[in-house]
Amino acid sequence: MMDFFQWLENTGFSTWVRESPSVFAFPVILLLHTVGMALCVGISAGINLRVLGFAPGLGLSPLEKLFPILWVGFWINALTGTVLVMQDATNKLRNPDFFVKMVFIALALVVLRMIKNRVFKDPQLDRVPLGSNVKVLAILSLFFWLGAITCGRLLAYVGPVGGLG
């Protein structure tokens, strides 16, 4: 398996991303990863906070229109995240923190789908108060996204870390 990780890390593209002085290599990929996270997690957090009762004057039903933008952000993150892993595969793919991050993301997506199905498919949306079970989902969603972001940031500091050994 380590041979595959080394091959992945040493492809021309991975080497370019990691070693190029061009702003279009690592810096832009990292910037796009941040933008994708802002779209995906930001919209999700906004919906979660509204479910929890923040901004009660704002109806929930119009927020459903934001889901396509949320998914664009997710796919930007998935693509740029893959590139970021490829350029340091021998470290990232041996780091338990990376897999914890992936679990948090998977759980956040499951909860996001549950919220979409339970909230936005309800014909009584914006006419009756939301149930406490949906509010628990919103809290879980916020927790899972916070966990994913924290683990992602910690990747530079825990487990096998590139450039230090």
Side-chain angles (χ1 to χ4, degrees):
M1 188 63 96
M2 195 59 154
D3 290 338
F4 174 71
F5 296 164
Q6 287 175 335
W7 172 82
L8 196 59
E9 191 172 300
N10 291 319
T11 62
F13 180 69
S14 294
T15 302
W16 175 78
V17 169
R18 184 178 55 255
E19 297 176 12
S20 174
S22 171
V23 71
F24 296 106
F26 189 84
V28 166
I29 292 167
L30 194 59
L31 172 67
L32 290 173
H33 197 67
T34 304
V35 169
M37 188 183 335
L39 292 172
C40 181
V41 179
I43 291 170
S44 180
I47 291 169
N48 292 325
L49 291 171
R50 177 58 194 91
V51 166
L52 290 172
F54 290 87
L58 177 65
L60 264 168
S61 53
L63 299 180
E64 186 173 17
K65 294 176 185 170
L66 297 175
F67 275 95
I69 299 168
L70 182 153
W71 285 111
V72 166
F74 171 79
W75 287 111
I76 289 170
N77 255 26
L79 291 171
T80 57
T82 300
V83 171
L84 292 170
V85 167
M86 283 176 58
Q87 60 88 35
D88 191 22
T90 56
N91 291 308
K92 298 290 188 272
L93 295 174
R94 289 185 306 132
N95 191 332
D97 185 56
F98 172 77
F99 297 100
V100 173
K101 174 184 175 177
M102 293 299 107
V103 168
F104 273 128
I105 291 169
L107 291 170
L109 292 174
V110 167
V111 170
L112 178 67
R113 177 61 66 187
M114 292 171 75
I115 289 171
K116 187 170 190 315
N117 289 337
R118 291 186 185 173
V119 172
F120 294 100
K121 303 253 190 245
D122 183 357
Q124 297 296 317
L125 182 61
D126 292 331
R127 287 185 236 152
V128 296
L130 295 170
S132 60
N133 58 343
V134 176
K135 291 182 180 190
V136 169
L137 289 175
I139 291 168
L140 284 173
S141 177
L142 290 168
F143 174 77
F144 292 148
W145 284 124
L146 181 62
I149 292 168
T150 302
C151 286
R153 195 57 229 132
L154 288 175
L155 271 171
Y157 305 104
V158 299
V161 177
L164 296 178

